[in-house]
Amino acid sequence: MELKVAIQGIKGSNHHQVATDFFGENIELLECSSFDAVIDSLMVGAADKGIMAIENSIAGSIIPNYNLVYHNNIHVIGEHYLNIHHNLMVMRGKTFEDIQEVHSHPMALLQCKEFFKSHPQIKLVESVDTAETAKRIKEEDLGHIAAIAPKMAAELYDLEIIADNIQTIVNNSTRFIILKKQNKVLPEEEINKASLRFITDHKRGSLATVLNVMSDCNMNLTKIQSLPVIETPWKYAFFVDVTFDKYEHFAKTKSLMHIMAEDFKVLGEYKNALL
């Protein structure tokens, strides 16, 4: 039976690329219109695994997604880094002179803004997804519209790339997390990264104390993100990623964190994709 994988977006999107990179080609793709829908598909059992972008090297964290994982008790079982390449694509046979509008996701348009400064006659139009525009160009025979989308979208929807890698900053990478309703799927000896969430009290130096304990336990802090606790004004939760060489060091960290921090929770234990 094929693995059912939920993604935000449609076939040809970056999430689709991550799904095939991580799980291979033999998967059933569940296309979702939003990140909330990805989570919902896991909650009701429509999908076995989910894929969610969590941060970009240029734009930073996708903050609402942290709370989506936490509040729905979903577990992070892996991660994947994807180099983002923005390509300008049109119907076959069309040229730059035929383009009146370029449609894409707002983030893609923003990351390619410098490219279009020399083409002021082209109108930039926001759409819900990069690949969705590519699909619509093909289905509706839109010869005057171009899409900014991944190479996979051009291949799937038979479009022609007339300019590749048009993003302003060449080194553009997005980190995706792999999600599952149940907890970790790897043996302890393969786990060397974890995502945590906790709250500290308002005493001076309380966060520094927690971070020092992590350091003493040989944890390497790779990410820290604070978010307001909605139910309690002016109280903040911290989402933290740590890497480690030995699981026993992480086990000690967990024991101490349960004592030192409020509402401590392990969101996921998995393999560091950068090693």
Side-chain angles (χ1 to χ4, degrees):
M1 189 170 67
E2 287 186 336
L3 185 73
K4 296 178 181 178
V5 181
I7 63 166
Q8 186 274 320
I10 67 170
K11 290 178 181 177
S13 65
N14 286 318
H15 279 78
H16 181 197
Q17 184 66 61
V18 172
T20 56
D21 287 350
F22 198 88
F23 295 112
E25 298 284 347
N26 191 30
I27 56 175
E28 180 182 337
L29 211 63
L30 184 61
E31 300 171 328
C32 299
S33 59
S34 65
F35 290 119
D36 292 79
V38 171
I39 296 295
D40 290 342
S41 69
L42 291 171
M43 297 297 291
V44 302
D48 304 307
K49 308 283 175 63
I51 294 173
M52 176 184 285
I54 197 72
E55 59 180 312
N56 176 264
S57 59
I58 298 172
S61 298
I62 306 174
I63 291 176
N65 287 357
Y66 286 90
N67 273 332
L68 270 179
V69 172
Y70 169 72
H71 285 296
N72 290 282
N73 201 30
I74 295 295
H75 299 277
V76 182
I77 61 164
E79 65 176 1
H80 186 79
Y81 291 83
L82 182 69
N83 290 323
I84 305 300
H85 302 286
H86 291 309
N87 304 290
L88 189 67
M89 56 192 69
V90 294
M91 288 182 59
R92 291 201 173 275
K94 298 297 180 180
T95 66
F96 222 105
E97 288 68 34
D98 297 312
I99 301 172
Q100 298 173 18
E101 299 178 1
V102 172
H103 294 213
S104 196
H105 188 277
M107 190 58 67
L109 293 174
L110 181 66
Q111 293 175 359
C112 301
K113 192 163 65 171
E114 286 298 316
F115 177 83
F116 291 103
K117 279 187 176 180
S118 57
H119 305 285
Q121 76 281 7
I122 296 176
K123 182 181 179 182
L124 303 182
V125 181
E126 294 184 358
S127 61
V128 295
D129 182 63
T130 52
E132 185 273 337
T133 296
K135 181 181 180 182
R136 190 159 51 85
I137 289 172
K138 177 65 175 177
E139 291 180 344
E140 299 178 18
D141 200 26
L142 302 176
H144 67 291
I145 293 177
I148 300 172
K151 183 181 178 182
M152 177 185 272
E155 295 168 351
L156 277 172
Y157 304 117
D158 193 32
L159 300 182
E160 186 174 351
I161 295 175
I162 57 173
D164 60 1
N165 290 320
I166 64 172
Q167 64 271 13
T168 304
I169 300 175
V170 176
N171 295 321
N172 179 9
S173 178
T174 296
R175 176 180 175 235
F176 296 78
I177 49 177
I178 316 302
L179 305 172
K180 189 180 178 184
K181 195 173 181 182
Q182 292 78 29
N183 208 341
K184 63 177 184 286
V185 295
L186 295 172
E188 289 184 358
E189 59 269 19
E190 292 185 31
I191 296 170
N192 56 10
K193 189 170 184 178
S195 295
L196 317 173
R197 190 259 192 196
F198 59 89
I199 297 172
T200 61
D201 58 34
H202 279 300
K203 293 178 182 176
R204 185 176 62 189
S206 56
L207 175 60
T209 301
V210 168
L211 297 181
N212 283 333
V213 166
M214 288 185 180
S215 178
D216 290 343
C217 291
N218 298 305
M219 297 294 103
N220 178 37
L221 185 72
T222 61
K223 174 77 178 178
I224 183 167
Q225 179 74 53
S226 65
L227 286 180
V229 179
I230 305 299
E231 316 83 58
T232 311
W234 309 118
K235 198 162 192 176
Y236 291 85
F238 295 94
F239 291 81
V240 168
D241 291 337
V242 292
T243 60
F244 43 89
D245 295 326
K246 295 182 180 179
Y247 188 86
E248 62 192 68
H249 294 160
F250 178 60
K252 181 180 178 182
T253 302
K254 286 192 290 185
S255 299
L256 291 171
M257 290 293 289
H258 278 294
I259 299 168
M260 296 184 62
E262 298 176 37
D263 200 22
F264 172 69
K265 184 178 181 181
V266 178
L267 302 177
E269 303 176 11
Y270 47 97
K271 187 180 292 187
N272 184 359
L274 290 180
L275 290 180

